[in-house]
């Protein structure tokens, strides 16, 4: 595993997904790319106030990503950040393919089936459409752990995908 992409927003579960990605990246020696997705720009031809609002959103996203990157400290894996634009699942899928990542990590909040059906879920959409393997970090009351003492975990990440399996 060489590269991991983790999609984050300002939720706690997204921060947990970033923590898992950074821990896993440090363990397997992979670079971690932190991304945040903003809506596609609609400011062309709009007022200066709207353009200023978009710049503020971009600054907020970069600040969020920098904060997460700084949380790794000097001992963490190499990290990069990117602010993407568009529909979240589409933008993340395109970036995963363009950056040739080996794994996409995303957090998901616990919702009922009706809310998921009506509102959708970026994690659900990524699982269906992303061309790369996706790891979903669920919302829980405790932190997910990356186990270092199990050699079969490292071997599982090294296995090639069986032919005919999408993503």
């Amino acid at each position: 595993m060489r590269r991991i992409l983790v999609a984050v927003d300002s939720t706690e579960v997204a921060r947990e997904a970033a923590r898992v990605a950074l821990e896993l990246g440090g363990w397997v020696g992979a670079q971690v790319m932190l991304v945040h997705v903003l809506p596609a720009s609609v400011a062309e031809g709009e007022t200066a106030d709207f353009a200023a609002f978009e710049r503020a959103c971009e600054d907020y996203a970069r600040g969020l990503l920098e904060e997460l990157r700084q949380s790794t400290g000097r001992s963490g894996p190499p990290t990069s950040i990117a602010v993407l634009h568009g529909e979240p699942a589409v933008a993340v899928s395109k970036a995963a393919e363009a950056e040739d990542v080996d794994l996409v990590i995303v957090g998901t909040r616990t919702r009922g089936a009706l809310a998921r059906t009506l509102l959708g879920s970026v994690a659900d959409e990524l699982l269906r459409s992303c061309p790369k393997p996706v790891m979903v970090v669920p919302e829980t009351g405790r932190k997910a752990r990356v186990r270092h003492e199990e050699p079969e975990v490292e071997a599982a990440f090294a296995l090639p995908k069986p032919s005919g399996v999408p993503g």
Side-chain angles (χ1 to χ4, degrees), residues 85-101:
H85 295 88
E87 293 295 322
V90 173
V92 169
S93 292
K94 285 181 180 177
E97 192 162 35
E99 296 292 329
D100 193 28
V101 301

Side-chain angles (χ1 to χ4, degrees), residues 137-157:
V137 176
E139 181 178 53
T140 64
R142 57 180 200 253
K143 290 185 175 182
R145 290 186 351 173
V146 176
R147 292 186 164 194
H148 302 265
E149 65 273 7
E150 296 184 29
E152 62 272 9
V153 171
E154 185 174 12
F157 285 113

Side-chain angles (χ1 to χ4, degrees), residues 8-28:
V8 298
D9 57 21
S10 60
T11 62
E12 281 304 312
V13 71
R15 290 177 184 275
E16 178 66 4
R19 189 195 63 74
V20 168
L22 293 164
E23 186 176 337
L24 179 60
W27 184 46
V28 299

Side-chain angles (χ1 to χ4, degrees), residues 32 42 56 62 74 79 87 91 117 131 140 163:
V32 176
V42 293
R62 288 199 186 287
R74 295 177 195 260
T79 59
E87 293 295 322
T117 301
T140 64
S163 61

Side-chain angles (χ1 to χ4, degrees), residues 111-121:
R111 294 189 199 169
L114 180 60
R116 239 186 353 266
T117 301
L118 295 175
L119 302 174
S121 162

Side-chain angles (χ1 to χ4, degrees), residues 6-163:
V6 58
V8 298
D9 57 21
S10 60
T11 62
E12 281 304 312
V13 71
R15 290 177 184 275
E16 178 66 4
R19 189 195 63 74
V20 168
L22 293 164
E23 186 176 337
L24 179 60
W27 184 46
V28 299
Q31 179 183 3
V32 176
M33 180 178 188
L34 300 161
V35 302
H36 181 80
V37 183
L38 293 174
S41 177
V42 293
E44 291 182 33
E46 296 293 331
T47 67
D49 289 341
F50 194 79
F53 173 73
E54 277 197 334
R55 280 192 303 278
C57 289
E58 188 93 18
D59 291 344
Y60 170 80
R62 288 199 186 287
L64 173 69
L65 294 169
E66 278 298 335
E67 176 189 329
L68 290 169
R69 177 164 48 184
Q70 296 303 321
S71 71
T72 65
R74 295 177 195 260
S75 63
T79 59
S80 60
I81 63 170
V83 177
L84 309 175
H85 295 88
E87 293 295 322
V90 173
V92 169
S93 292
K94 285 181 180 177
E97 192 162 35
E99 296 292 329
D100 193 28
V101 301
D102 302 297
L103 180 65
V104 174
I105 299 178
V106 64
T108 188
R109 293 186 302 269
T110 305
R111 294 189 199 169
L114 180 60
R116 239 186 353 266
T117 301
L118 295 175
L119 302 174
S121 162
V122 172
D124 289 343
E125 182 65 26
L126 281 170
L127 286 168
R128 285 192 302 274
S129 65
C130 188
K132 301 292 183 172
V134 176
M135 174 190 287
V136 177
V137 176
E139 181 178 53
T140 64
R142 57 180 200 253
K143 290 185 175 182
R145 290 186 351 173
V146 176
R147 292 186 164 194
H148 302 265
E149 65 273 7
E150 296 184 29
E152 62 272 9
V153 171
E154 185 174 12
F157 285 113
L159 292 175
K161 284 187 169 179
S163 61

